[in-house]
Amino acid sequence: MTKNHLLIIAGLVCAAILTAVGVVHTKYLTRVHFAQLQDLRAQRDAIDVEWNRLRLDEAALSTHARVERKARHELGMFAPRVGDVLLIEDTGHGHP
């Protein structure tokens, strides 16, 4: 074999080794990123569960009966009596 043939073979062997190292490195990065993806999905699922719990809490805390009970007992509010209501008629926004 000539020197040129040996250089070509050596170059091809180096290229094959570098390609193999590249494949191993890429596979490693894929596994790392997949593990990160799984962690993020688990976090997302936990946040979704918490969000749904908070929505249920909000719905329970904002029912009309509860708000009215809080207004009456804690704030001393009451529905206006007939004599407390003043009716103002709109005459067309400033036009007589």
Side-chain angles (χ1 to χ4, degrees), residues 21-63:
V21 169
V23 167
V24 169
H25 182 68
T26 301
K27 191 158 187 101
Y28 166 77
L29 290 177
T30 300
R31 287 181 179 166
V32 167
H33 290 134
F34 184 75
Q36 289 173 344
L37 176 64
Q38 292 300 94
D39 290 343
L40 291 172
R41 284 181 177 165
Q43 289 176 13
R44 180 203 58 200
D45 292 344
I47 289 170
D48 283 344
V49 167
E50 177 70 9
W51 174 248
N52 288 328
R53 189 190 63 76
L54 290 172
R55 286 179 45 207
L56 288 173
D57 287 349
E58 179 188 28
L61 293 174
S62 64
T63 61

Side-chain angles (χ1 to χ4, degrees), residues 58-74:
E58 179 188 28
L61 293 174
S62 64
T63 61
H64 180 71
R66 184 177 187 282
V67 170
E68 185 174 354
R69 185 174 56 252
K70 288 270 192 186
R72 287 184 187 277
H73 296 291
E74 292 182 16

